[in-house]
Amino acid sequence: MSITMGTTLASLVTNKRRVSALKSLGIVTVGDALTYYPFRVTEPVPLRAIREAAPGQQMAFAAVIRDMRVVPMNARRGYRLEATVDDADFARSRRVPGSTARLTFFSYRKSYVDWVSVRLRAGTSVVVSGMPGEYMGQLQFTHPEILTVAPVPAGAGAGLEGYARGAASGNGAFAGSADPYASAQSAYPPAATVPSGAALKYDADTVQEALTRVCRPRPVYHASSRISSEHIHETILGLLWMMGARTSSTPDGQLAGAGAAGIVAPATDTIAVQNGEEKSGTTAESGAEALSQSIPDVLPESVRKAKNLMHRAEAFLAIHDPASTARFKEAIETLRYEEAFVSQTSLLKARSHAHKSAAHSCPLVTDSLRDQFIASLPFSLTAGQQQVIHDIAADLAHDWPMQRLLQGEVGSGKTVVALAAMLQAVDAGYQAVLVAPTQVLAEQHAETIGRMVEQLKPAIPVTLLMGGMKLAARRKALAAASSGEPGIIVATHAAFSKTFQAPHLALVVIDEQHRFGVEQRESLNAKTDDGTTPHLLVMTATPIPRTAAMTWFGDLDISWLTELPGGRKPIRTVVVNEADAATMGRMFAHIRARVDAGERAYIVCPRIDADDEENEGGSGVSAAAGSARGRAAASGSSARTAAGGRATRAAADAIGIDDPYETFDENGETVARPPLHAVAEIADRLQKLPQFQGIRFATLTGRDKDDVKTQVMADFAGGETPILVSTTVIEVGVDVKQASCIVIFDADRYGLSQLHQLRGRVGRGGTNSWAFLISRAEPGSPAEQRLEVIHHSLDGAEIAQADLEFRGAGDVLGDAQSGGKSSLKLLRVVKDADMIADARTRAGQLLAADPELAGEVQLAGAVLDFTRGNETFLTSS
């Protein structure tokens, strides 16, 4: 069976529970497994004889079991298993006297004790790795790692005695060796074949093999309650063996060779198919060749050699079975550069593709609608707005499509800039479409734009198109668009439907671009009758640092709006410990006072109700490893459970946190955290407080129907229900000028950029405003440190920079970037800026010589995969 990166694990791994557990981590194919990178690698474990042991210092040694006993524990239920080991022969190779030590195991489960008892029978050769301690005057290892070694055939030397003879003759692999893990010279004779019918399975064929396995640096993976890091590692090594790897990556830079430590063949009860197992003569060299054929290099050979990087197959080996920590880091750098090169090649191709298309030219005319509109504004544009409007006007005058990203703080006036651009298109006789991610935002845009253009001459038709409209109104809107009459169309996702036609479409404005994918935006190109590509302006209020924007939106021209319009007062941000009842009470009294003064308050919770924890087996899944498919339904919100596990698709709309931070222990296991607060729960609790007697509350979630959302927002803005308890559905575009307070529960579980976005919902009417961040973070924890950043800063770029450093680029820039579908898992946008710049230069040189990558088939495929996997960031394909 030919195994490739696309082969599914279900066809290779016989343990279906393990397949399911890996799937919960987003690992479905061989490629998913190999790119599920460890988050750290352990230091090599030194070899020491028992007499060389130092309490509290990790060590490994070979020994023989002398005796073993199981003792019931009288004071408490359970058992204690004690085994005495003797390292006389191993110690002789170290030129020190032999000694004994005790191995101790505790368990409440008799089945576990019986299993360990079978493995540690008297006379068994073992390799032990652990932390020595002392108990009642004797050296003791509590729950050490144990590898049992198969017996050797008669006449070949008695295991450890054979090791001693080899050491004495100078062939002892670990005797005085500075780097024992790179050597294949085994001081042990070959192991005997386990007699047929033997029930006991041994962990290693030779002591040498066992010592190598416990001493080498080992990768540690983000795990879950369903699968441990060790089992993830075991599976990945098994897959590498099946693909042809017989030896590990060696320090001298070779993929494999006679001097490399061997990879152990996976057990047939774990792996169904073992590639090449019928070829008993498989050599290290032929295995290496097979692996490189199964895992072809993506980087052009010229680039790889110029940068002195590993082959891709070699890098995977060095990451998942490292010979040294230095080798591991070198491999990580190789694949990090690969990601930079693929991403920049993809962006440059997208930019080139856009400039080859034709678009309607929309030059400015005398006494233009745009100029009339600007003159009619009751305020002066900021210098930033004037500059961006000027840049967009120049872009629209070209006969190739504009591709521009407009990034601006919440309330920086992006809508005014977008309207100026749309009026320029309408003045030229064409249609413009503004696409908003939610019905609430689309209605607000339509109302605002209609009010702003009502005095202009000639009159500008503003058409609202939404999926939830009544049939007659929807037909009327579709007819207005299909007529081709110059005007502005404000739409939700309905603009991407097949029924929507705009034959004279010249400009598309996407608000909150991260909510829409490439395929949706590209569908708008097909709305024109003449085959032209509309100009594109994408807007985002999610702060993205300049280096990150240049990396991700390298196919776009980028504009920033950093000034806020006059009259806006700084929002006062207060972090409140939820356990501090006195401060919580004062906060609620303050909110009541603001409501009595005619203002409004938002209360934000991450969940809809307490039943949203549709957990798949309680798995705690890393944000960096989860499958993107499960989150796709969340429209940008991560579908996560309260305990850190992933929710099902049904729960995706219920969890409002964009990417809650996971907490991991030193072994990569997720740490359980308190349940997230829910809208229904908080609304019920607050209405019972004496501070809110006589105040009407409303709730708003993503599950509410569109007409309900519209009515709830109208009642909130009008003051009938001055307190709104909602999920993060209010995050984007909701504009209620009387809102002066926002309370965000579980603030320590949000990304900083999302908190900044939510905070921007208040203070839009020029009044004093407050944001209260309710936290359950432990003192001194990273979560508390994150909140301190937003507590002391109102600068979106500074906050985004901190978010990048805390979380990594993927989580900040969008949901798909942190999922299993993502092409980028190692690249750090800020720290790797120089690497990205180098990759962009080399990618540009490659594309100049080979625009279609005809000579780089693997790179072309990787670029295509990147575009598909990261479609929320690329605006053309």
Side-chain angles (χ1 to χ4, degrees):
M1 176 180 178
S2 178
I3 300 173
T4 68
M5 297 287 277
T7 304
T8 61
L9 295 189
S11 65
L12 302 176
V13 180
T14 53
N15 187 329
K16 299 309 175 187
R17 290 182 64 184
R18 183 172 296 190
V19 171
S20 175
L22 290 168
K23 185 177 180 181
S24 73
L25 296 178
I27 304 173
V28 178
T29 66
V30 172
D32 294 335
L34 295 186
T35 56
Y36 190 77
Y37 301 118
F39 69 93
R40 70 180 177 92
V41 64
T42 63
E43 291 296 324
V45 177
L47 283 173
R48 291 177 182 153
I50 293 176
R51 282 191 180 273
E52 299 172 304
Q57 296 183 15
Q58 193 82 9
M59 61 176 281
F61 62 95
V64 173
I65 303 292
R66 292 304 179 208
D67 60 66
M68 183 270 300
R69 63 175 185 156
V70 176
V71 181
M73 291 186 287
N74 296 326
R76 49 198 175 118
R77 65 186 181 87
Y79 305 87
R80 182 177 75 253
L81 185 149
E82 296 177 348
T84 303
V85 293
D86 183 346
D87 75 337
D89 297 305
F90 175 77
R92 192 175 308 132
S93 72
R94 305 276 301 172
R95 295 178 174 83
V96 296
S99 185
T100 61
R102 182 165 50 212
L103 312 181
T104 305
F105 301 84
F106 300 93
S107 180
Y108 294 119
R109 290 187 295 129
K110 186 68 165 59
S111 58
Y112 172 77
V113 173
D114 291 342
W115 176 74
V116 175
S117 299
V118 171
R119 299 181 74 227
L120 303 186
R121 294 179 299 183
T124 302
S125 294
V126 295
V127 166
V128 180
S129 174
M131 192 88 70
E134 189 176 333
Y135 179 69
M136 297 183 67
Q138 185 175 3
L139 197 69
Q140 174 174 283
F141 293 81
T142 304
H143 285 277
E145 179 181 2
I146 301 288
L147 293 184
T148 58
V149 181
V152 296
L160 291 171
E161 288 80 356
Y163 182 92
R165 288 196 300 274
S169 63
N171 293 327
F174 292 87
S177 172
D179 185 11
Y181 321 115
S183 173
Q185 294 293 324
S186 175
Y188 291 96
T193 304
V194 179
S196 60
L200 184 63
K201 292 182 179 179
Y202 294 96
D203 299 316
D205 291 335
T206 66
V207 175
Q208 169 71 29
E209 175 192 313
L211 285 170
T212 300
R213 284 169 60 184
V214 300
C215 290
R216 288 168 65 88
R218 278 182 292 177
V220 182
Y221 302 82
H222 283 313
S224 74
S225 59
R226 299 176 63 185
I227 185 168
S228 67
S229 173
E230 191 65 34
H231 283 157
I232 294 170
H233 187 212
E234 176 187 287
T235 302
I236 294 174
L237 287 184
L239 295 173
L240 287 169
W241 194 93
M242 294 164 63
M243 298 176 81
R246 296 297 181 269
T247 60
S248 304
S249 157
T250 61
D252 61 5
Q254 300 301 313
L255 180 61
I263 292 181
V264 181
T268 54
D269 59 350
T270 301
I271 298 292
V273 180
Q274 294 191 0
N275 184 35
E277 61 187 352
E278 73 286 349
K279 300 176 183 178
S280 57
T282 299
T283 65
E285 288 78 6
S286 63
E289 182 179 348
L291 184 65
S292 62
Q293 290 174 353
S294 300
I295 308 175
D297 218 342
V298 169
L299 288 174
E301 184 71 9
S302 59
V303 173
R304 187 169 70 83
K305 288 184 175 179
K307 298 292 293 180
N308 193 28
L309 301 173
M310 296 180 180
H311 187 282
R312 192 176 200 224
E314 180 188 2
F316 281 135
L317 269 174
I319 286 173
H320 296 297
D321 192 32
S324 65
T325 53
R327 192 71 176 151
F328 174 84
K329 293 174 183 175
E330 185 182 345
I332 290 290
E333 286 301 298
T334 290
L335 293 180
R336 186 171 281 147
Y337 189 88
E338 177 189 291
E339 291 183 352
F341 194 87
V342 170
S343 66
Q344 294 309 304
T345 304
S346 182
L347 290 166
L348 289 173
K349 276 181 65 70
R351 191 179 186 93
S352 174
H353 172 78
H355 284 188
K356 292 177 182 177
S357 304
H360 292 298
S361 175
C362 304
L364 275 175
V365 297
T366 306
D367 192 30
S368 65
L369 288 170
R370 190 203 75 169
D371 292 341
Q372 289 184 46
F373 161 64
I374 293 174
S376 70
L377 291 172
F379 52 83
S380 298
L381 296 178
T382 65
Q385 287 175 310
Q386 293 177 34
Q387 182 61 51
V388 174
I389 288 173
H390 173 77
D391 293 342
I392 291 174
D395 288 345
L396 292 177
H398 295 147
D399 58 2
W400 65 82
M402 171 180 71
Q403 299 258 269
R404 184 171 291 275
L405 168 69
L406 175 58
Q407 179 181 319
E409 288 280 0
V410 174
S412 61
K414 295 186 298 296
T415 304
V416 169
V417 172
L419 181 51
M422 290 189 286
L423 289 174
Q424 184 171 335
V426 172
D427 228 355
Y430 300 110
Q431 295 169 292
V433 172
L434 170 61
V435 186
T438 66
Q439 175 173 318
V440 170
L441 185 54
E443 290 176 326
Q444 287 189 356
H445 276 317
E447 180 184 351
T448 300
I449 291 172
R451 192 168 59 247
M452 286 179 163
V453 303
E454 62 184 359
Q455 303 299 326
L456 301 184
K457 302 296 181 183
I460 308 298
V462 178
T463 304
L464 177 62
L465 175 64
M466 301 183 298
M469 298 174 71
K470 292 184 177 179
L471 184 59
R474 181 179 172 83
R475 284 178 174 172
K476 183 178 179 180
L478 289 171
S482 62
S483 70
E485 178 188 1
I488 295 172
I489 303 161
V490 180
T492 57
H493 289 71
F496 305 121
S497 68
K498 294 181 179 179
T499 56
F500 174 70
Q501 295 296 324
H504 292 158
L505 184 60
L507 172 64
V508 175
V509 179
I510 304 287
D511 196 9
E512 289 306 319
Q513 57 81 32
H514 63 281
R515 303 300 178 103
F516 304 101
V518 168
E519 293 178 3
Q520 290 176 311
R521 290 192 290 266
E522 288 293 310
S523 71
L524 291 172
N525 292 345
K527 307 301 184 184
T528 59
D529 287 343
D530 50 14
T532 58
T533 299
H535 297 283
L536 179 66
L537 175 65
V538 293
M539 304 192 299
T540 178
T542 303
I544 304 168
R546 188 172 295 263
T547 52
M550 291 176 67
T551 301
W552 282 109
F553 303 104
D555 60 333
L556 301 177
D557 298 306
I558 306 174
S559 297
W560 278 268
L561 288 178
T562 57
E563 302 171 69
L564 293 181
R568 294 288 294 273
K569 296 182 179 179
I571 301 169
R572 303 174 194 178
T573 305
V574 183
V575 179
V576 181
N577 188 322
E578 188 173 342
D580 185 349
T583 303
M584 292 284 286
R586 289 197 301 273
M587 175 189 72
F588 291 134
H590 172 80
I591 292 172
R592 174 60 188 262
R594 302 322 306 163
V595 168
D596 289 343
E599 296 168 11
R600 315 280 185 270
Y602 296 106
I603 311 288
V604 179
C605 304
R607 288 195 297 154
I608 294 177
D609 54 52
D611 298 325
D612 293 328
E613 287 186 71
E614 300 182 34
N615 217 348
E616 291 183 358
S619 61
V621 184
S622 164
S627 169
R629 288 189 302 276
R631 290 197 294 254
S635 299
S637 295
S638 179
R640 317 283 305 217
T641 66
R646 183 189 327 286
T648 60
R649 178 178 293 270
D653 291 317
I655 309 296
I657 288 179
D658 72 349
D659 246 330
Y661 295 87
E662 292 292 352
T663 302
F664 299 101
D665 63 19
E666 62 179 9
N667 294 318
E669 299 276 355
T670 48
V671 177
R673 294 179 294 181
L676 297 169
H677 288 299
V679 168
E681 164 214 350
I682 292 298
D684 182 62
R685 282 171 51 186
L686 295 187
Q687 289 180 82
K688 296 176 181 178
L689 293 178
Q691 291 95 328
F692 296 122
Q693 290 299 311
I695 297 294
R696 291 185 58 196
F697 281 68
T699 61
L700 182 67
T701 72
R703 288 182 188 164
D704 294 330
K705 294 183 178 179
D706 290 337
D707 57 342
V708 173
K709 291 179 183 176
T710 301
Q711 187 60 50
V712 167
M713 289 308 300
D715 290 345
F716 178 62
E720 286 84 356
T721 52
I723 297 180
L724 178 63
V725 185
S726 76
T727 60
T728 53
V729 70
I730 66 158
E731 177 184 351
V732 175
V734 173
D735 188 2
V736 177
K737 294 191 174 3
Q738 299 92 333
S740 64
C741 295
I742 184 167
V743 178
I744 304 172
F745 279 91
D746 295 305
D748 52 302
R749 307 275 287 273
Y750 289 79
L752 296 184
S753 294
Q754 192 178 24
L755 287 175
H756 181 63
Q757 183 87 325
L758 287 166
R759 179 170 61 178
R761 295 308 103 205
V762 298
R764 304 172 73 87
T767 60
N768 291 321
S769 54
W770 293 263
F772 298 98
L773 309 181
I774 312 302
S775 168
R776 288 183 280 185
E778 293 292 328
S781 66
E784 186 181 62
Q785 295 169 22
R786 289 194 300 268
L787 291 181
E788 282 303 301
V789 171
I790 202 160
H791 177 207
H792 294 293
S793 178
L794 293 170
D795 185 331
E798 178 184 330
I799 290 167
Q801 178 78 21
D803 219 358
L804 270 175
E805 293 169 0
F806 277 120
R807 292 203 287 174
D811 297 342
V812 174
L813 294 180
D815 220 6
Q817 186 49 34
S818 28
K821 285 291 187 182
S822 167
S823 301
L824 292 193
K825 298 181 179 180
L826 298 173
L827 194 64
R828 303 162 303 186
V829 172
V830 176
K831 294 182 180 179
D832 298 326
D834 292 341
M835 177 187 289
I836 292 165
D838 180 88
R840 190 174 184 85
T841 299
R842 294 179 188 273
Q845 294 169 350
L846 177 67
L847 289 172
D850 185 5
E852 298 304 319
L853 300 177
E856 300 290 346
V857 177
Q858 296 300 328
L859 177 61
V863 166
L864 183 60
D865 289 342
F866 175 85
T867 305
R868 290 171 175 167
N870 297 277
E871 62 177 14
T872 49
F873 305 109
L874 299 176
T875 54
S876 57
S877 61

